[in-house]
């Protein structure tokens, strides 16, 4: 059965607006990153024509391979980045959500400098402490953020997290609230080259909860494009 992405986008838009309102904000305060991993340029272009402005991919190779076939849009890298893949995306993405080491920060900085650009990044935090999750633990944040002050071709723009999978009995509100606390604390500390503009959290199953807890950037895939044939 073909997925009706027009209806899905309208539904997600309504739900974002309602959740924003419940947290005292409006739709325009929240960025929707439509996650298109595994989907082809045709479906992506359909979404862009329906108003999607930001696309998220979790594999650098997919960005490289699809880039030329997709209409102008803001690309986000949301998945793990190995340093040998930075070259595929450095001149294509507007934001890298998944920076989780000083080494990766340094390498992105080097590639950005070579291209004469400043790359915006988010630091990925493993807020739940689940062993399977990528991201740094909250107590490593200070050293990464301090290090960012020494780099001139990246800018830290906020934090990102991937919360645990949920079922009917639990929500991720606790993790999202903890992330929001970190986001506020860091903003108050005023690190050089660090501004807390984006808090990237919330996926298809929990984006409304995330927004209610202070997220201003949600990464939504299957609620728009349907179930993926396989997961990455
Ligand atoms: C796939 C993915 C998403 C979107 O997941 P859905 O549950 O399909 O909305 C969001 N963030 C990351 C990092 C992902 O890899």
């Amino acid at each position: 059965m073909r997925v009706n992405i027009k209806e899905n986008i309208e539904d997600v838009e309504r739900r974002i607006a309602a959740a924003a309102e419940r947290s005292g904000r409006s739709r325009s305060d929240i960025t929707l990153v439509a996650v298109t991993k595994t989907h082809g340029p045709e479906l992506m272009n359909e979404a862009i024509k329906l108003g999607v402005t930001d696309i998220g991919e979790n594999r650098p190779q997919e960005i490289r391979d699809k880039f030329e076939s997709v209409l102008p849009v803001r690309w986000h890298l949301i998945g793990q980045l190995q340093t040998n893949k930075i070259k595929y995306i450095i001149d294509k993405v507007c934001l890298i959500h998944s920076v989780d080491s000083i080494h990766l920060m340094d390498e992105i900085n080097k590639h950005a400098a070579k291209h004469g650009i400043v790359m915006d990044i988010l630091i990925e935090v493993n807020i739940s402490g689940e062993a399977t999750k990528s991201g740094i633990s909250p107590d490593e944040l200070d050293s990464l953020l301090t290090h960012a002050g020494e780099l001139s071709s990246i800018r830290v723009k906020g934090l990102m997290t991937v919360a645990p999978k949920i079922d009917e009995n639990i929500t991720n509100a606790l993790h999202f609230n903890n992330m929001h606390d970190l986001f506020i604390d860091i903003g108050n500390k005023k690190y050089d080259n660090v501004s807390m503009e984006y808090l990237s959290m919330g996926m298809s199953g929990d984006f409304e909860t995330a927004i209610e807890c202070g997220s201003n950037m949600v990464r939504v895939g299957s609620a728009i494009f349907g179930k993926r044939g396989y997961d990455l």
Side-chain angles (χ1 to χ4, degrees), residues 2-229:
R2 205 178 176 307
V3 179
N4 187 333
I5 68 166
K6 183 168 186 288
E7 267 177 23
N8 289 351
I9 290 171
E10 285 166 1
D11 179 57
V12 167
E13 283 287 342
R14 259 195 307 274
R15 290 162 61 195
I16 292 174
E21 216 159 280
R22 288 195 293 276
S23 68
R25 293 174 294 165
S26 64
R27 171 65 191 91
S28 60
D29 296 317
I30 317 291
T31 302
L32 168 62
V33 178
V35 177
T36 51
K37 63 192 182 197
T38 77
H39 298 297
E42 199 179 319
L43 193 63
M44 294 168 70
N45 287 335
E46 197 183 325
I48 292 165
K49 284 181 192 153
L50 291 166
V52 164
T53 56
D54 292 75
I55 288 286
E57 289 281 347
N58 68 342
R59 296 174 73 221
Q61 302 94 309
E62 273 194 72
I63 296 178
R64 179 197 59 187
D65 296 344
K66 294 174 189 174
F67 192 80
E68 295 297 333
S69 314
V70 172
L71 295 167
V73 71
R74 285 193 292 270
W75 292 77
H76 298 241
L77 182 76
I78 61 172
Q80 259 192 1
L81 178 58
Q82 292 168 312
T83 53
N84 62 345
K85 309 263 167 65
I86 297 171
K87 59 180 182 286
Y88 298 158
I89 56 137
I90 192 70
D91 57 344
K92 299 182 178 63
V93 302
C94 67
L95 186 62
I96 300 174
H97 292 225
S98 44
V99 177
D100 60 0
S101 73
I102 285 180
H103 177 60
L104 180 56
M105 228 187 224
D106 285 340
E107 290 296 315
I108 294 169
N109 186 67
K110 251 189 248 171
H111 280 82
K114 223 188 297 175
H115 282 265
I117 59 170
V118 177
M119 178 56 64
D120 289 342
I121 67 169
L122 306 181
I123 307 297
E124 181 172 355
V125 179
N126 178 356
I127 197 69
S128 63
E130 277 190 312
T132 53
K133 288 272 178 287
S134 47
I136 60 163
S137 78
D139 38 284
E140 294 171 277
L141 265 170
D142 180 66
S143 63
L144 260 80
L145 295 171
T146 303
H147 186 73
E150 294 165 28
L151 305 176
S152 56
S153 298
I154 58 143
R155 286 187 300 213
V156 178
K157 289 286 188 173
L159 304 178
M160 177 270 215
T161 198
V162 178
K165 283 210 165 56
I166 51 165
D167 61 36
E168 312 85 64
N169 302 314
I170 54 155
T171 82
N172 280 322
L174 174 67
H175 300 309
F176 292 146
N177 280 323
N178 287 340
M179 281 296 294
H180 187 250
D181 288 347
L182 284 176
F183 182 76
I184 298 297
D185 283 351
I186 294 165
N188 289 338
K189 282 186 185 151
K190 308 219 184 308
Y191 290 90
D192 279 352
N193 201 23
V194 173
S195 58
M196 289 292 114
E197 288 175 41
Y198 301 116
L199 181 54
S200 169
M201 59 185 194
M203 304 173 27
S204 291
D206 56 17
F207 67 87
E208 291 154 294
T209 307
I211 292 169
E212 287 166 15
C213 297
S215 167
N216 62 15
M217 187 172 267
V218 292
R219 311 178 307 269
V220 179
S222 45
I224 295 174
F225 299 105
K227 258 178 105 71
R228 290 176 288 274

